[in-house]
């Protein structure tokens, strides 16, 4: 959603100091009793180290100056920070934009003169918690416009956040519900939806209570203001002057410290010990990378009924925690986003960190210590990796959707509302939508990557559509969309059982035995959907601990650029690393054939689902050979499920491959009409939009031809559309609300559209001359009994027809052009027009079709005579 | 148990049970594992008694208990079994707790998975039986080469699933032991599967990498040239190199250069490589390397024949030996072996079918747990079931029976054509019907356009609205996918050649149940 653009701003937010910067307007008199009275008192363990410098200044009107002072004392522009590629940190500063902050702080001080009184009160009540309410009502907007005028003088980017910082009484008004916020200032830190934060792993770690934001030099163990340089290997920081020989400025490119260099050469290195009595302070980054801290992405923030603050976070994990373990290609600061969500109390959030995608990460040269790289999403259930680029696109889609909401919120809140407000409202709505989505299907919400089915299914419906009460027909249309994922899969119970038994049989044993399953069936019989449904069911069992965890890799043969690319895709999904297919083949061979495991948990079984298996056929079939050979190896733990349309694919393969494929087959037969009927009815359960006979008619028709469920759904949806159209038209002329059901006639029309060949339409709508031309061809056919005629003969017939019915003969050239046009439409087959009168012509469709199409044409009633 | 009723009804099971050959019984007897001797004497005596007569591996009690349940045919079978276990004594009826541990208990997940594991393709059997001769030939060949320090090439061929690669694994081990004992220098072994090469000529690079030569100054010379150079010069104490190239035919290129060069490596004067190629084709060497004959480096050929039924039984029993309890009834194994041997002699298939039979048994067990009272409606057993339901279930199934095997076999080998045709959508059936009509004459194939005309005729005569041509051609494609029609390639849809892939009689048989089609086909 909107978090992508937001993330760019996040580094600019100050951690703890900003909350104090915002002037508290006098117009907001009521504030809650804060849950955390004084942060220092409430969480002495955690914050004491950071709060001590603040406490002396914590009084009177100078409170706003505190952060500016602390910023000033530690801050200082990094010399020459613009031109380097190496990682440089401002000594003692974890965040880059202090200067800016100080500027703002000074402004804030100015503002504060006016709002001082209230400010102080807030201070007395504690380092308060402030937030913006979920759905800002009219009154609040006004209030904001009157009081927030000065805050708008601050940099534009801050406007919204500054105004958010105010307290609102909304929360008190509705205490019985959760109140969602966009931003919360909690315990001195300002947290916003979309931020990345550190989360404490345990509550009782007293040893980790200090939280040094200031990194110490590895040599002198002092944190000064002078420039430090970071080693690319150990990530340790060094003062430029402490190095031997001292560096004048930060070098270009990679830089490794002397210790790492020595270690690389195989020498034993003793790191300099810290002076007596001084403990080596570990930064949050070190703690995170040694898994003493967690990192998470805030998805939503809310206040519980009991006044506690909670947020929903999406975890990040470090490479060591994945199934594949840390791999050589992982960068030091690389972490993975997971699809694991959790609700946590704000209490356990430490402070912000910055997780960036590779592009941003490359730019983030000197933005401090808390910058991380995240390129892949890690699926904690199926232990596979997925690149994030895809999601970002998805998120942009989400933003586009919101343009509708923008429009509506403007309507609601008068045209005077400023843009920020809109933006905010949108975000909040987004949040609600998202959180509800997430609640609905738990961690499943991201599974939509598979085939995009679920993705489309859970697409956000614009608000104005929601407000409008949907009729049954509209709901029926939505349910009949192919993309809508049905809640249950009727009529495939036997197959579901069989697949479940197959997977369980392969996985449940202590030693996973590789197996193969080949699933075949005509299109539209629910093959892929069934397998995915089974795997979804299995996951709940995995979660319950009844089944060992396994990886699941899903590949569609159609999406591969070439069959060999499948190695690449498999390898990337298993390890989160992209290599060329040749290398991937080698590595996969090592893993599956030789049983070499380099990862930690790599021994978990792996299920490989290959859709459209027949597309992997190469000339010498080596790709299929390799994939089907792995399960027969002792340590592969690979289970291959192949899906294709052809029934006799194994027989078409080389005998050595079909021998390795095993004998497990599963056939998905075409649906019969009862089954199709049940499928449609289950989709439409609770929606009263169709006549029963209409559904039966549609399913019977489809079952007689192909038994393809997709088609049956399409026909019904189309019938619903036709009915909807008809009703709306009727409504315009005579607004009488009647029960609108899709009946036989609509279904009939839809079936006609789908099954009737388009050529009849084309013939019906062809030009007058074209019709005469075709009639002449049919006439000629009847006369001679030969399928083929020449243009010369045909022209004679046409002139006869024209003459006897009072039409003007158009002339040969025109007629020839008409003939060529019909030839291009493939209504007739003809030789190139250059042959002129010797051109051979033939009808491409049975003459009955032409007769049927032209029999009752309005403009030329005499045609029927000749047909 | 309704499922048993159905299975018992299959004619094969009854027939096979009667026609049980004797030699099998002998081999079943020696599969008694040593483990049993460790147990208590009294039991061991009894069990040995039982094991001596393999037919008794099917517990008599089981037969007794099951006979009331089974349909008449089934009883016949049990009766037919009876003469083969003449010395059944009442003393055999021991409390279950004592007997159970010598029997396979399919309800125990551990025992179940042990059985499955023993039958899995990837499990290496302790010894490669039935391939002793071939193995010896290969080992002797390699020994000879290593002893004399000269190069040689060998080509192993045989159908899939005849133990080629497995034998090569064993040969590697044997050679290693032999060289250790003989005090010879260990040969370098390079075992690779040619399918895992990304390009055919990569094989030379792989060979060269085994030598770990000092850095060659010239990077431009290819690995092949380096190897050729290496083998044409006298060198000190280079190790012998054993190259095992599985699926050798993947190296066949248009000009056959790679394969040729590979075999030519063995002809160099100081060549030290022993090349063992493995592939399916018998005549690969003759077809693709005719020149080798003239150069006198034609590889020795070892052929792996398809397994005979006896061999398959032996191998299966060998694999099952690791388990201290019988999993299969001997008849069941025999049936499986005979069927597989008749079809292809592919050991993998036999293993898969056995695994499938175990799955059948498992499914049946699950079904019986789901509705336990269906299976024990008898009064005498009903009482027992109330008190000790576990026991009765235990007694019911203690091994994979011939019924399970029949079911598993039928899933593999039965031709699904008739069933497929019967569940086809109506219009597709009409297409098949019209194709049959069209092919009544001598004509064996036609074009899609012609078939469409015939289809329209049928539709017209039966007053069924016909579909359009596009729909028709897509239906033809679906039928092609199902393996019922064969649709050729053509640029134009109408001109595609089309032919029936299944027998006309099958179609007639499948469709005769519908009156509509019966009229049509007459």
């Amino acid at each position: 959603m909107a978090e992508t653009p937001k993330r760019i701003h996040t580094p600019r937010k100050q951690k703890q100091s900003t909350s104090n910067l915002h002037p508290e307007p006098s117009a907001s008199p009521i504030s809650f009793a804060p849950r955390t009275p004084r942060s220092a008192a409430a969480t002495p363990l955690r914050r004491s180290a950071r709060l001590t410098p603040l406490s002396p200044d914590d009084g009177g009107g100078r409170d706003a100056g505190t952060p500016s002072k602390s910023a000033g004392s530690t801050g200082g522009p990094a010399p020459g920070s613009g031109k380097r590629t190496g990682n440089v940190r401002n000594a003692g500063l974890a965040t880059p934009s202090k200067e800016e902050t100080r500027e703002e702080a000074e402004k804030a001080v100015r503002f504060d003169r006016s709002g001082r009184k209230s400010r102080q009160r807030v201070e007395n009540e504690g380092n308060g918690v402030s937030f913006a309410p979920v759905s800002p009502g009219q009154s609040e907007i006004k209030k904001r416009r009157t009081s927030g005028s000065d805050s708008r003088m601050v940099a534009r980017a801050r406007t919204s956040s500054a105004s958010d910082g105010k307290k609102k009484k909304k929360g008190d008004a509705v205490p019985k519900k959760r109140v969602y916020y966009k931003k919360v200032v909690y315990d001195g830190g300002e947290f916003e939806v979309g931020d990345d934060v550190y989360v404490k792993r345990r509550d009782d770690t007293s040893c980790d209570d200090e939280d040094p934001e200031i990194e110490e030099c590895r040599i002198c163990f002092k944190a000064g203001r002078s420039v430090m340089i970071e080693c690319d290997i150990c990530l340790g920081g060094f003062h430029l002057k402490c190095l031997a020989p001292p560096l004048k400025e930060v070098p270009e490119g990679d830089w490794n410290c002397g210790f790492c260099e020595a270690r690389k050469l195989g020498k034993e290195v003793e790191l300099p010990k810290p002076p007596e009595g001084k403990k080596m302070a570990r930064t949050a980054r070190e703690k995170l990378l040694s898994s003493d801290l967690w990192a998470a992405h805030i998805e939503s923030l809310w206040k519980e009924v009991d006044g506690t603050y909670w947020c929903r976070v999406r975890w990040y994990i470090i490479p060591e925690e994945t199934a594949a373990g840390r791999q050589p290609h992982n960068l030091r600061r690389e972490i993975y986003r997971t699809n694991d969500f959790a609700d946590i109390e704000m209490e356990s959030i430490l402070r912000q960190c910055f997780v960036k995608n590779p592009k941003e990460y490359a730019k983030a040269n000197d933005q401090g210590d808390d910058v991380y790289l995240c390129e892949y999403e890690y699926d904690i259930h199926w232990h596979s990796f997925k690149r994030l680029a895809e999601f970002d696109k998805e998120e942009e889609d989400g933003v586009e959707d919101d343009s509708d909401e923008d429009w509506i919120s403007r309507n609601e809140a008068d045209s005077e509302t400023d843009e920020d407000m809109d933006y905010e409202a949108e975000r909040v709505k987004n949040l609600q939508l998202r959180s509800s989505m997430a609640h609905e299907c738990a961690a499943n919400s991201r599974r939509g990557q598979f085939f995009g089915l679920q993705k489309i299914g859970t697409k956000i419906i614009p608000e104005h559509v929601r407000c409008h009460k949907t009729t049954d027909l509209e709901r029926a249309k939505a349910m009949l969309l192919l993309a809508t994922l049905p809640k249950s899969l009727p009529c495939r119970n036997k197959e579901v059982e069989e697949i479940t038994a197959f997977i369980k049989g392969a996985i449940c044993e202590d030693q996973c035995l590789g197996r193969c399953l080949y699933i075949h069936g005509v299109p539209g019989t629910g093959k892929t959907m069934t397998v995915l449904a089974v795997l979804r069911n299995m996951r709940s069992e995995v979660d319950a601990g009844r089944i060992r965890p396994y990886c699941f890799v899903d590949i569609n043969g159609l999406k591969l650029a070439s069959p060999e690319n499948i190695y690449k895709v498999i390898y990337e999904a298993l390890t989160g690393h992209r290599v060329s297919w040749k290398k991937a083949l080698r590595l996969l061979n090592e893993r599956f054939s030789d049983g070499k495991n380099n990862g930690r948990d790599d021994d978990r079984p792996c299920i490989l689902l290959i859709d459209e298996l027949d597309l992997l056929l190469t000339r010498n079939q080596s790709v299929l050979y390799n994939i089907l050979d792995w399960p027969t190896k002792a340590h592969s733990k690979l289970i291959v499920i192949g899906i294709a349309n052809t029934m006799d694919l194994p027989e078409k393969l080389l005998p050595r491959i079909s021998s390795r494929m095993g004998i497990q087959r599963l056939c998905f037969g075409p649906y019969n009409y009862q089954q199709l009927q049940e499928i449609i009815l289950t989709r439409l359960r609770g929606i009263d939009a169709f006549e029963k006979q209409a559904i039966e008619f549609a399913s019977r028709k489809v079952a007689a031809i192909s038994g393809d469920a997709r088609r049956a759904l399409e026909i019904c949806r189309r019938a619903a559309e036709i009915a909807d159209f008809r009703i709306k038209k009727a409504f315009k002329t005579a607004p009488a609300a009647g029960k609108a059901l899709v009946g036989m006639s609509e279904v009939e029309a839809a079936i006609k559209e789908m099954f009737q060949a388009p050529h009849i339409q084309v013939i019906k709508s062809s030009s007058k001359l074209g019709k005469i031309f075709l009639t002449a061809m049919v006439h000629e056919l009847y006369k001679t009994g030969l399928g083929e005629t020449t243009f010369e003969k045909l022209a004679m017939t046409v002139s006869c027809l024209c003459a006897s019915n009072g039409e003007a003969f158009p002339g040969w050239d025109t007629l020839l052009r008409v003939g060529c046009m019909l030839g291009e439409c493939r209504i007739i087959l003809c030789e190139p027009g250059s042959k002129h009168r010797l051109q051979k012509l033939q009808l491409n469709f049975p003459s009955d079709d032409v007769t049927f199409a032209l029999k009752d044409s309005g403009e030329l009633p005499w045609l029927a005579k000749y047909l | 148990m309704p499922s048993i009723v159905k299975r018992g009804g299959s004619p094969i099971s009854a027939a096979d049970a009667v026609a049980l050959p004797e030699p099998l019984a002998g081999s079943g007897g020696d599969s008694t594992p040593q483990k049993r001797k460790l147990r208590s004497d009294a039991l061991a005596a009894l069990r040995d008694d039982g094991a001596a007569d393999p037919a008794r591996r099917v517990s008599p009690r089981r037969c007794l208990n099951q006979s009331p349940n089974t349909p008449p045919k089934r009883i016949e079978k049990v009766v037919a079994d009876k003469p083969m276990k003449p010395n059944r004594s009442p003393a055999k009826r021991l409390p279950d707790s004592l007997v159970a541990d010598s029997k396979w208990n399919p309800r125990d997940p551990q025992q179940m998975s042990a059985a499955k594991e023993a039958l899995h393709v990837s499990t290496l059997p302790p010894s490669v039986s039935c391939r002793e001769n071939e193995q010896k030939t290969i080992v002797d060949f390699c020994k000879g080469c290593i002893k004399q320090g000269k190069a040689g090439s060998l080509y192993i061929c045989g159908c899939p699933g005849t133990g080629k690669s497995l034998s090569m694994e064993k040969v590697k081990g044997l050679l290693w032991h032999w060289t250790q004992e003989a005090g010879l220098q260990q040969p370098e072994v390079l075992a690779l599967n040619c399918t895992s090469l990304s390009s055919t000529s990569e094989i030379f690079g792989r060979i060269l990498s085994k030598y770990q030569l000092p850095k060659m100054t010239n990077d431009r010379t290819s690995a092949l040239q380096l190897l050729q150079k290496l083998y044409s010069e006298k060198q000190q104490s280079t190790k012998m190199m054993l190259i095992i190239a599985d699926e050798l035919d993947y190296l066949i290129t248009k000009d056959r250069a790679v394969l040729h060069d590979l075999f030519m490596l063995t002809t160099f004067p100081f060549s030290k490589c022993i090349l063992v190629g493995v592939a399916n084709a018998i005549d690969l060497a003759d077809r693709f390397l005719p020149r080798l004959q003239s150069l006198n480096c034609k590889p020795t050929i070892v052929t792996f024949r398809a397994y005979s039924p006896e061999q398959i039984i032996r191998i299966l029993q060998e694999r099952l030996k690791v388990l201290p309890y019988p999993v299969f009834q001997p008849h069941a194994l025999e049936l499986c072996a005979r069927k597989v041997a008749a079809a292809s002699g592919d050991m993998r298939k036999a293993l898969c079918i056995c695994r499938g039979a175990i799955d059948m048994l498992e499914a049946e067990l699950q079904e019986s747990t789901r509705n336990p009272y269906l299976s024990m409606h008898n009064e005498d057993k009903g009482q027992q079931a109330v008190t000790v339901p576990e026991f009765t279930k235990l007694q019911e199934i203690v091994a994979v029976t011939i019924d399970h095997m029949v079911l598993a076999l039928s899933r593999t080998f039965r031709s699904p054509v008739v069933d497929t045709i019967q569940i086809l959508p109506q219009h597709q059936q009409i297409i098949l019907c019209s194709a049959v009509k069209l092919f009544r004459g001598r004509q064996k194939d036609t074009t899609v356009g012609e078939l469409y005309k015939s289809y329209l005729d049928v539709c017209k005569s039966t007053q069924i609205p016909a579909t359009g041509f596009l729909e028709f051609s897509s239906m033809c494609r679906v039928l092609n996918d199902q393996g019922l029609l064969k649709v050729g390639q053509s640029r134009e849809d109408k001109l595609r050649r089309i032919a029936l892939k299944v027998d006309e009689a099958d179609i007639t048989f499948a469709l005769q149940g519908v009156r509509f089609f019966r009229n049509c086909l007459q």
Side-chain angles (χ1 to χ4, degrees), chain A residues 641-662:
Chain A
I641 301 177
I643 301 179
N645 288 347
T646 41
M647 178 191 247
D648 49 357
L649 180 72
E651 282 72 43
K652 280 185 198 158
L653 297 173
L654 292 173
R656 72 189 81 168
I657 299 177
S658 57
S659 164
R660 281 168 174 82
M661 198 164 188

Side-chain angles (χ1 to χ4, degrees), chain B residues 19 41 46 88-89 111 121 151 168 182 266 279 288 315 317 406 408 411 421 454 459 462 470 502:
Chain B
D41 285 343
L46 278 170
R88 188 199 329 161
S89 64
Q111 295 191 7
V121 198
M168 286 319 296
T266 60
F288 296 104
I315 295 168
Q317 279 167 347
V406 166
R411 290 188 124 202
I421 294 175
S454 162
C459 285
T462 52
L470 296 176
V502 290

